Amino acid sequence: KAGVTQTPRYLIKTRGQQVTLSCSPISGHRSVSWYQQTPGQGLQFLFEYFSETQRNKGNFPGRFSGRQFSNSRSEMNVSTLELGDSALYLCATRGLANTGELFFGEGSRLTVL
Amino acid sequence: AQKITQTQPGMFVQEKEAVTLDCTYDTSDPSYGLFWYKQPSSGEMIFLIYQGSYDQQNATEGRYSLNFQKARKSANLVISASQLGDSAMYFCAMRDVTGANSKLTFGKGITLSVRP
């Protein structure tokens, strides 16, 4: 059973550019969440999508957006990149068990120069 | 609001010994779930163990067990018989289980190094 797949794994952008990250969930998983991980702030929740609808949103500026497609794949976009957006962006899908554990991808490491 | 606190500095343990990683939490939700995740240098977060707030017994999964003390609001992870592959960052996390959302609130994490 394939795990959560995130692409690209590594990317370098410059300030002011925009970036799109992709996440393919485990087959059958319909909930996709995104987290930002930085050394200073740790892991912070960005947003969650379920059946193509945003179900929950963290405290991030509007430059951060996302969407989910009918096949449950999700993308997140960051516009007008800032140096502080350099981070590991993790995608997670929710398991089918009642415990609701999340299954994470290996992340997309974004460096903004 | 939910809060997870992990204050231990980097932890070291000898191979084959047991180690306890501390986690305290704060929430006003009556129903919640507590999770531990392992993050090796590759970046992927690996689910280890889950404890529900109403579970009467401490959770166990192989070499992992969770020492859940509800009154003290602590959920410490115990790793028995440490292995070199256990060297990683460990995160404690919490979720409100009354709603449908999947949002996890994470602690800052603890670095564990296993010495041969």
Side-chain angles (χ1 to χ4, degrees):
Chain A
K1 188 175 185 182
V4 178
T5 304
Q6 291 189 246
T7 57
R9 290 289 316 280
Y10 303 91
L11 64 167
I12 300 173
K13 294 285 188 178
T14 56
R15 280 181 297 173
Q17 287 187 311
Q18 67 97 26
V19 66
T20 298
L21 309 177
S22 177
C23 172
S24 293
I26 293 171
S27 178
H29 290 192
R30 295 163 61 192
S31 165
V32 176
S33 304
W34 289 88
Y35 290 80
Q36 181 197 63
Q37 185 177 22
T38 60
Q41 299 298 317
L43 280 147
Q44 293 186 285
F45 173 78
L46 281 157
F47 27 64
E48 178 194 0
Y49 287 87
F50 182 84
S51 293
E52 301 178 65
T53 301
Q54 188 179 87
R55 187 156 69 176
N56 202 355
K57 189 177 188 303
N59 188 25
F60 277 82
R63 299 185 298 106
F64 292 81
S65 63
R67 60 177 174 168
Q68 186 179 34
F69 302 95
S70 58
N71 62 357
S72 294
R73 189 178 71 85
S74 177
E75 288 181 348
M76 67 162 282
N77 184 276
V78 187
S79 63
T80 320
L81 285 166
E82 301 176 359
L83 295 179
D85 297 333
S86 294
L88 179 66
Y89 290 88
L90 290 162
C91 168
T93 66
R94 179 171 170 172
L96 303 178
N98 290 334
T99 53
E101 69 263 30
L102 298 185
F103 296 88
F104 285 81
E106 291 185 297
S108 293
R109 188 168 296 279
L110 170 66
T111 301
V112 182
L113 302 176
Chain B
Q2 298 179 336
K3 184 178 180 181
I4 297 284
T5 302
Q6 297 178 264
T7 58
Q8 289 168 304
M11 293 285 289
F12 294 87
V13 65
Q14 205 68 28
E15 192 179 9
K16 299 180 184 176
E17 306 244 315
V19 63
T20 298
L21 306 182
D22 295 342
C23 171
T24 59
Y25 62 91
D26 192 25
T27 182
S28 56
D29 299 315
S31 298
Y32 51 89
L34 294 158
F35 302 79
W36 276 91
Y37 281 85
K38 170 186 177 181
Q39 186 179 41
S41 56
S42 63
E44 182 182 4
M45 299 282 284
I46 301 168
F47 167 72
L48 296 177
I49 196 166
Y50 168 84
Q51 179 83 43
S53 60
Y54 291 116
D55 292 345
Q56 294 297 313
Q57 294 193 341
N58 287 341
T60 60
E61 287 285 351
R63 295 186 299 111
Y64 305 108
S65 61
L66 201 150
N67 184 0
F68 181 48
Q69 298 188 45
K70 193 172 183 177
R72 298 180 61 182
K73 294 189 175 181
S74 74
N76 299 339
L77 176 71
V78 180
I79 305 175
S80 62
S82 296
Q83 301 172 356
L84 296 178
D86 293 336
S87 295
M89 281 282 288
Y90 288 81
F91 291 91
C92 180
M94 165 186 285
R95 183 174 76 86
D96 169 18
V97 299
T98 55
N101 76 81
S102 302
K103 175 187 174 183
L104 288 180
T105 299
F106 285 88
K108 294 292 189 183
I110 302 167
T111 301
L112 175 66
S113 298
V114 180
R115 292 171 167 156

